[in-house]
């Protein structure tokens, strides 16, 4: 395990510990929003860890929302309610240690490029950078399940649902890789029904 992976795992645990205690019984999913400091700069990604609640689902459904979509589409989640930002967050003070560890790791792996890279090479490295950060995020999700931390904090396992708004349609693949099958079955059934 790399220093960056270890940092991400610990940050994921701290984010769960920071979940508001009065809402823990209401939380039915943990959201993993994968984004970038500059939305198109794949060298500077971050993970925003949040949640959604049963009461939020009821509130939005009462306003006329489709129950399945409100429950499982990130467009309806409490995305401003983050309990942890890992990596190159919007504010440099979010996670300076994680940002430095990430930069060191991608440089060591030869994934870093500067502004003088040609477009094809930059695109190739952006794909590798995306995969690298996705893998780190999936590792955190699997760790939170395997370590028992999710169950310890929430009293039961709930799905961890990673998403990147620039890569719509990739969510089911990420969810399947992040969670034990039984924990993510309802989400995947909904997502597959949307594809049909």
């Amino acid at each position: 395990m790399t220093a960056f992976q270890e940092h991400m795992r610990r940050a994921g645990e701290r984010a769960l510990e920071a979940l508001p205690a009065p809402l823990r019984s209401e939380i039915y999913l943990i959201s993993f929003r994968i984004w970038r400091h500059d939305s198109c700069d794949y060298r500077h990604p971050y993970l925003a860890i949040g949640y959604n609640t049963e009461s939020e689902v009821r509130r939005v459904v009462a306003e006329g929302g489709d129950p399945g979509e409100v429950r499982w589409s990130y467009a309806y989640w409490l995305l401003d309610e983050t309990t942890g930002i890992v990596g190159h967050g919007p504010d440099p003070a979010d996670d300076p240690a994680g940002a430095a560890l990430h930069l060191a790791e991608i440089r060591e792996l030869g994934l870093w490029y500067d502004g003088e890279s040609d477009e094809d090479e930059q695109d190739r490295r952006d794909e590798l950078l995306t995969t690298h950060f996705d893998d780190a995020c999936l590792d955190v999700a699997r760790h939170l399940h395997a370590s028992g931390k999710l169950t310890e904090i929430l009293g039961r396992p709930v799905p961890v649902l990673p998403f990147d708004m620039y890569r719509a349609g990739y969510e089911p693949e990420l969810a399947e890789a992040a969670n034990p099958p039984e924990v993510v079955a309802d989400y995947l059934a909904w997502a597959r029904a949307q594809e049909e």
Side-chain angles (χ1 to χ4, degrees):
M1 176 181 322
T2 68
F4 179 60
Q5 288 173 312
E6 180 66 24
H7 176 83
M8 286 196 70
R9 285 183 177 193
R10 298 293 78 80
E13 291 175 357
R14 286 190 303 274
L16 289 185
E17 291 163 355
L19 290 168
L23 294 179
R24 290 181 182 180
S25 64
E26 286 262 323
I27 293 170
Y28 70 92
L29 67 79
I30 300 297
S31 63
F32 269 28
R33 180 168 40 100
I34 300 169
W35 201 239
R36 288 146 301 277
H37 180 65
D38 171 347
S39 62
C40 294
D41 188 347
Y42 293 89
R43 298 169 299 174
H44 298 102
Y46 68 90
L47 172 63
I49 301 172
Y51 59 90
N52 205 34
T53 63
E54 294 289 357
S55 57
E56 179 66 6
V57 171
R58 288 191 298 274
R59 184 189 71 75
V60 177
V61 168
E63 293 175 355
D66 173 80
E69 188 170 356
V70 168
R71 174 171 290 279
W72 298 121
S73 171
Y74 62 76
Y76 296 96
W77 299 345
L78 298 165
L79 297 182
D80 291 334
E81 303 297 325
T82 57
T83 58
I85 297 213
V86 191
H88 306 270
D91 181 337
D94 286 331
D95 183 21
L101 288 168
H102 177 259
L103 284 177
E105 185 165 298
I106 64 173
R107 283 188 168 113
E108 183 179 319
L109 293 170
L111 300 178
W112 180 260
Y113 60 86
D114 58 29
E116 299 187 16
S117 297
D118 69 51
E119 191 172 330
D120 289 340
E121 178 63 15
Q122 183 174 324
D123 289 346
R124 185 184 75 76
R125 288 191 189 207
D126 282 347
E127 286 182 33
L128 294 170
L129 288 163
T130 299
T131 299
H132 175 265
F133 195 73
D134 282 356
D135 288 346
C137 294
L138 295 174
D139 176 72
V140 174
R142 290 188 295 261
H143 168 73
L144 295 175
H145 283 295
S147 69
K149 196 69 172 177
L150 264 172
T151 302
E152 175 191 327
I153 298 291
L154 296 177
R156 70 217 174 281
V158 301
V160 177
L161 299 179
F163 66 96
D164 180 334
M165 293 178 199
Y166 272 13
R167 294 182 289 151
Y170 190 43
E171 297 89 352
E173 187 176 329
L174 290 170
E176 201 164 20
N179 297 277
E182 66 278 6
V183 175
V184 77
D186 290 344
Y187 168 76
L188 290 175
W190 173 81
R192 290 183 178 127
Q194 303 310 299
E195 294 170 358
E196 296 174 358

